[in-house]
Amino acid sequence: MKLALLLALCALATPEPRALWLRQADESHQAADRALAMKQPQAAREALLRFLEAAPPAGIRSDDARSVQQDAWFHLASVELQSGDAKRAQADAEKGLTLGRETDLFTANLLVVRGRARELQQDDRGAISDYQEAMRINEALLKAASEGGR
Amino acid sequence: MKRLRVMVLLLCGCATAPRAPEPAKPNQTTASEDAPLVQSYVQQQQSLLDELEHPSAAGHKPECPHLCELVENICALSGRICSVAARHEGEDEMKRACDDGLDRCSRARAEAAAAPCSCGG
């Protein structure tokens, strides 16, 4: 009920193209999850790629667009990993990372999934580098969170 | 639906929580080897969503579930680094990476404890 109210309020405050894009993002994640549950990774891949091919609507904050798109790239890279295609997983993670690197968990997630993909391709040094960078992001978030409480 | 909730809050500016820690929801069907780290992110997202919907009345108290999830992320990454390093026995650079990760895990636990939060582990 609370969520429905929130969505309704935001729909009023949000220009339609943005709301539509967000709905498409959510639907693509849900479709991918459903496809994976039915062991159809190709359908999952297509659902996420369809969303990622659409440019974010005008008027959306670039950092917000980055977050939403990086979340989708992360999901896609995870699908590839689960399908055993580490090379594609790495490529997807890198596409997400080219959108920008910030001190947030969207960036950290992409680094972790790329690290795993690198491990599976015997690039252990690259994997460690990614894990270390993801760790530094988490450390910065921890520092900010703990200082916020003091 | 959780993912949409994050995005709605993010884009509509309906939330007042700090921008940086907003988490992405990971794919819950990642390979089982990744499960502990991914699960940690899922739990972290839930705690952040809880905070967005039910901000603490005190306002500036440390959010221990959030802090502890970050600590767990750091220590899970440290564990992953050491497991990679273990495949390269005798390589100093790898050993240093593992030791550094373990130190960071310990420092993260100490930082959370100083907050003060009891994260276990």
Side-chain angles (χ1 to χ4, degrees), chain A residues 22 71 116 124-125 139, chain B residues 3 11 33 88 91 104:
Chain A
L22 286 177
D71 195 25
R116 184 71 188 126
D124 284 352
R125 281 180 175 71
E139 285 179 316
Chain B
R3 191 187 304 273
L11 290 157
E33 195 172 342
H88 299 265
E91 292 186 31
R104 289 172 187 271

Side-chain angles (χ1 to χ4, degrees), chain A residues 6-138:
Chain A
L6 181 66
L7 287 169
L9 286 171
C10 288
L12 289 173
T14 307
E16 183 54 27
R18 288 197 296 169
L20 179 63
W21 188 67
L22 286 177
R23 192 159 63 239
Q24 288 169 342
D26 185 54
E27 285 169 357
S28 73
H29 286 293
Q30 290 188 31
D33 287 338
R34 280 196 303 273
L36 281 177
M38 293 188 290
K39 302 194 185 310
Q40 296 175 347
Q42 182 59 27
R45 191 177 291 130
E46 287 167 4
L48 292 162
L49 279 172
R50 262 196 307 277
F51 169 71
L52 285 164
E53 282 166 4
I60 198 164
R61 286 180 52 220
S62 61
D63 195 47
D64 293 338
R66 173 192 62 82
S67 302
V68 173
Q69 290 178 307
Q70 285 189 328
D71 195 25
W73 281 116
F74 169 75
H75 198 167
L76 183 58
S78 299
V79 169
E80 303 294 9
L81 263 191
Q82 195 186 9
S83 305
D85 194 335
K87 194 172 178 181
R88 277 168 96 166
Q90 179 173 348
D92 291 338
E94 284 169 357
K95 284 174 188 164
L97 288 167
T98 60
L99 297 172
R101 294 183 183 217
E102 299 294 334
T103 307
D104 61 24
L105 290 175
F106 297 106
T107 299
N109 281 344
L110 286 167
L111 289 164
V112 170
V113 78
R114 187 175 71 171
R116 184 71 188 126
R118 283 175 153 175
E119 261 194 81
L120 294 170
Q121 295 174 93
Q122 284 74 51
D123 177 10
D124 284 352
R125 281 180 175 71
I128 283 183
S129 172
D130 282 341
Y131 294 149
Q132 287 174 324
E133 195 175 341
M135 188 184 279
R136 283 191 286 271
I137 289 173
N138 278 277

Side-chain angles (χ1 to χ4, degrees), chain B residues 19-75:
Chain B
R19 179 72 186 80
E22 289 160 354
K25 180 182 178 184
N27 175 14
Q28 295 176 357
T29 53
T30 304
S32 58
E33 195 172 342
D34 297 326
L37 191 59
V38 168
Q39 181 61 25
S40 168
Y41 281 125
V42 171
Q43 289 165 351
Q44 183 171 351
Q45 180 194 36
Q46 188 55 56
S47 68
L48 286 167
L49 285 167
D50 291 344
E51 170 60 15
L52 288 174
E53 290 187 343
H54 307 288
S56 64
H60 294 296
K61 280 189 176 176
E63 292 300 327
C64 289
H66 173 45
L67 261 64
C68 291
E69 293 301 336
L70 290 168
V71 170
E72 290 311 307
N73 288 349
I74 291 164
C75 293

Side-chain angles (χ1 to χ4, degrees), chain B residues 78-97:
Chain B
S78 161
R80 178 60 60 81
I81 288 168
C82 288
S83 72
V84 174
R87 295 198 290 261
H88 299 265
E89 200 175 344
E91 292 186 31
D92 288 347
E93 184 189 350
M94 291 289 191
K95 184 178 184 312
R96 277 196 299 275

